[in-house]
């Protein structure tokens, strides 16, 4: 029977401020949502193609040397950042949606520590942002930049930090927005 | 200065009771729900749920209640199973019990065969059953349902209502708001509210006699007598505007 008296040891004791399981579950939720969101994938790929391939090769032919880099190399970090920026914005906007018509109302009446909820959301949004940025990063060899493991790890660290900053700013704005 | 949505209301719901809250649109039903589920703080007065104060002991109240909102609060990009698993984590279900509780909830909602489909492919009735099962997953002694059968077809409505009335066997206290008089008849006790005030409270039979002095009156007659026949057209809420924006296909919607 699903309802009835409480089962012994059905639930573990409450955490006041931090519950790692809650953080992990909300992080996982962002990734699961991302996996099903084909428009976001498409956006990431199409922005990369538009900037790097079309503009990069188009304008690149008239600028051959910008401070020692080719034009495509010069704008590559910008395209990565653009993808991170868009993913972070999307994450903040989804928070507004979530609160009005989605799961966030259910989360807000749950006893889960809200700090852990926020942390899970920010980490999840940042991870998605890194994934989106990586789409552009993968095009680095096209621009003549070699990708070594160390370079990718370094880039990911910077991208993740950027994601955390932007998703957090977005979350603060979204939580103060009355739609 | 805001409008008082709920004002000077005093009522007590017994343990294990199926309690129905009736009122026209804008009567204050949802505001009362939000205060009792600790998402809105009352500006005055006190309320206790399962023995805990909704302001001072909000975390304890949250631990002891299950909530179903007026409109689905599911993640429609996740599957039914993933929605239930997330709920189980939020309510600290022990990892040892988690798979069996999720399985039981899916079976109870009659969604075992659809467990791994994304919720966006579900019908309104399926979503409602999933939400009700989710609200029961952590075995709360008190369950809040805000118009649980709104927008369902008669079959879906009947099935959901049967499940709600069967909760009495498990001793769950159910506090529900409804606009459906047939459902209100099935409650142990009902309260009729309007403009934030309590107009009548008691068993459906008591309320009928009290208000109309006749025992053969229907609850609908009682309701209309107390709240009048004027239409209650509400202003579109922020939520309606947001949904309208989504339907027009606004930028970055969902």
């Amino acid at each position: 029977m699903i309802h009835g008296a409480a089962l012994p040891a059905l639930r573990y004791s409450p955490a006041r401020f931090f519950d790692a399981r809650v953080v992990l579950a909300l992080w996982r939720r962002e990734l699961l949502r991302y996996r099903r969101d084909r428009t976001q994938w498409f956006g990431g790929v199409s922005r990369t193609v538009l900037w790097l391939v079309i503009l990069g090769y188009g304008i690149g032919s008239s600028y051959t040397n910008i401070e020692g880099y080719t034009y495509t190399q010069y704008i590559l970090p910008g395209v990565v950042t653009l993808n991170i920026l868009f993913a972070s914005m999307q994450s903040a906007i989804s928070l507004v949606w979530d609160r009005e018509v989605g799961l966030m109302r259910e989360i807000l009446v749950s006893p889960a520590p809200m700090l852990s909820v926020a942390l899970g959301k920010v980490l999840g949004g940042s991870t998605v942002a890194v994934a989106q940025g990586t789409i552009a990063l993968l095009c680095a060899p096209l621009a003549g930049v070699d990708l070594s493991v160390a370079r990718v790890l370094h880039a990911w660290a910077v991208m993740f930090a950027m994601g955390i900053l932007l998703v957090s700013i977005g979350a603060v704005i979204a939580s103060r927005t009355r739609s | 200065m805001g409008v008082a949505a709920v004002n000077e209301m005093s009522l007590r719901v017994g343990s294990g009771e199926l309690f129905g809250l009736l009122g026209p649109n804008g009567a204050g039903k949802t505001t009362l729900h939000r205060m009792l589920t600790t998402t809105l703080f009352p500006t005055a007065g006190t309320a206790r749920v399962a023995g805990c104060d909704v302001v001072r002991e909000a975390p304890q109240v949250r631990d002891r209640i299950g909530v179903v909102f007026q409109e689905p609060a599911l993640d429609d990009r996740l599957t039914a199973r993933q929605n239930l698993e997330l709920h189980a984590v939020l309510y600290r279900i022990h990892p040892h019990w988690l798979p069996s509780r999720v399985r039981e909830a899916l079976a109870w909602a009659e969604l075992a065969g659809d467990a791994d489909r994304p919720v966006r492919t579900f019908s309104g009735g399926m979503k409602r059953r999933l939400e009700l099962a989710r609200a029961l997953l952590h075995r709360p002694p008190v369950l809040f349902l805000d118009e649980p059968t709104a927008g369902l077809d008669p079959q879906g409505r009947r099935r959901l209502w049967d499940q709600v009335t069967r909760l009495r066997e498990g001793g769950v206290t159910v506090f529900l708001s409804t606009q459906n008089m047939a459902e209100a008849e099935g409650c142990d006790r009902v309260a009729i509210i309007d403009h934030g005030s309590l107009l009548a409270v008691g068993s459906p039979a008591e309320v009928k006699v009290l208000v109309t002095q006749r025992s053969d009156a229907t609850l609908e007659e009682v309701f209309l007598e107390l709240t009048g026949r004027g239409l209650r057209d509400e202003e579109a809420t922020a939520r309606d505007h947001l949904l309208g924006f989504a339907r027009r296909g606004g930028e970055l919607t969902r």
Side-chain angles (χ1 to χ4, degrees):
Chain A
M1 200 156 81
I2 184 170
H3 52 286
L7 293 166
L10 175 66
R11 299 162 73 181
Y12 56 91
S13 52
R16 244 189 110 189
F17 299 108
F18 184 77
D19 188 337
R21 284 197 186 88
V22 171
V23 178
L24 195 70
L26 281 150
W27 176 77
R28 182 166 168 260
R29 175 191 176 214
E30 294 296 313
L31 295 194
L32 288 169
R33 286 173 65 86
Y34 176 57
R35 207 179 62 185
R36 288 223 173 78
D37 193 356
R38 290 212 187 82
T39 56
Q40 204 175 354
W41 282 87
F42 181 75
V45 173
S46 64
R47 260 192 306 279
T48 307
V49 169
L50 183 74
W51 285 96
L52 278 186
V53 181
I54 300 176
L55 283 170
Y57 286 103
I59 301 179
S61 52
S62 42
Y63 294 98
T64 46
N65 188 343
I66 304 169
E67 294 173 9
Y69 298 103
T70 68
Y71 180 73
T72 326
Q73 286 168 351
Y74 185 71
I75 64 166
L76 180 69
V79 180
V80 173
T81 309
L82 202 63
N83 270 356
I84 292 176
L85 186 69
F86 267 72
S88 307
M89 246 169 63
Q90 177 101 49
S91 162
I93 290 168
S94 77
L95 200 58
V96 177
W97 276 107
D98 221 17
R99 198 184 55 211
E100 297 296 325
V101 292
L103 186 75
M104 196 44 80
R105 287 171 297 152
E106 136 97 358
I107 295 173
L108 291 177
V109 296
S110 80
M114 287 305 136
L115 219 58
S116 304
V117 170
L119 191 62
K121 172 78 192 175
V122 168
L123 290 179
S126 309
T127 309
V128 170
V130 169
Q132 285 286 87
T134 304
I135 296 175
L137 191 66
L138 286 176
C139 296
L142 287 179
V145 178
D146 289 328
L147 285 181
S148 64
V149 175
R151 277 179 170 179
V152 170
L153 289 178
H154 192 182
W156 274 348
V158 176
M159 286 155 69
F160 194 65
M162 209 164 4
I164 287 185
L165 175 74
L166 292 169
V167 176
S168 306
I169 293 174
V172 169
I173 296 172
S175 60
R176 292 179 176 270
T177 308
R178 298 277 143 240
S179 46
Chain B
M1 188 61 201
V3 179
V6 174
N7 195 21
E8 305 215 353
M9 193 180 289
S10 184
L11 66 100
R12 179 179 286 273
V13 179
S15 175
E17 209 169 19
L18 178 57
F19 190 89
L21 188 66
L22 282 93
N25 290 336
K29 299 190 297 290
T30 298
T31 306
L32 192 57
H33 266 273
R34 290 193 56 197
M35 289 194 294
L36 293 176
T37 56
T38 75
T39 53
L40 188 71
F41 286 137
T43 47
T46 57
R48 298 178 80 80
V49 175
C52 302
D53 187 275
V54 294
V55 178
R56 282 181 292 109
E57 297 166 297
Q60 287 86 333
V61 171
R62 287 166 175 234
D63 247 358
R64 289 163 173 74
I65 59 174
V67 184
V68 175
F69 297 91
Q70 203 164 359
E71 276 160 75
L74 296 158
D75 190 326
D76 56 9
R77 273 194 217 153
L78 301 186
T79 64
R81 190 191 306 279
Q82 286 162 350
N83 269 287
L84 292 173
E85 284 169 353
L86 185 59
H87 177 96
V89 172
L90 293 174
Y91 285 82
R92 307 188 319 276
I93 301 292
H94 201 281
H96 170 76
W97 287 96
L98 197 146
S100 63
R101 284 305 285 166
V102 168
R103 230 178 4 256
E104 273 172 43
L106 285 166
W108 187 81
E110 300 171 67
L111 291 170
D114 304 290
D116 296 308
R117 271 172 56 195
V119 169
R120 60 162 57 163
T121 63
F122 281 15
S123 71
M126 290 163 85
K127 285 185 190 171
R128 282 277 122 171
R129 295 204 304 272
L130 178 60
E131 286 201 292
L132 193 57
R134 182 177 69 175
L136 292 165
L137 192 90
H138 55 289
R139 297 215 165 187
V142 184
L143 190 64
F144 286 92
L145 310 172
D146 195 358
E147 299 192 26
T149 58
L152 297 187
D153 63 5
Q155 287 82 2
R157 186 182 287 258
R158 170 54 62 91
R159 178 57 62 91
L160 195 78
W161 186 249
D162 285 346
Q163 286 178 326
V164 170
T165 50
R166 276 211 310 273
L167 293 177
R168 274 189 280 207
E169 297 159 19
V172 183
T173 309
V174 183
F175 185 90
L176 73 102
S177 59
T178 181
Q179 307 248 28
N180 184 306
M181 296 303 150
E183 287 170 10
E185 294 273 6
C187 293
D188 296 326
R189 284 201 310 148
V190 295
I192 300 177
I193 66 167
D194 198 9
H195 303 299
S197 304
L198 188 63
L199 300 177
V201 62
S203 72
E206 282 167 11
V207 169
K208 285 175 200 169
V209 176
L210 197 74
V211 175
T212 61
Q213 274 81 48
R214 293 170 18 228
S215 58
D216 61 335
T218 64
L219 210 48
E220 184 158 345
E221 285 170 3
V222 173
F223 183 79
L224 289 173
E225 166 126 8
L226 284 173
T227 59
R229 286 173 183 272
L231 288 176
R232 305 298 174 89
D233 294 331
E234 281 184 289
E235 286 282 313
T237 60
R239 186 193 165 80
D240 295 327
H241 286 301
L242 192 71
L243 287 170
F245 178 70
R247 268 192 291 274
R248 289 195 302 273
E251 194 185 359
L252 289 172
T253 47
R254 303 270 238 177

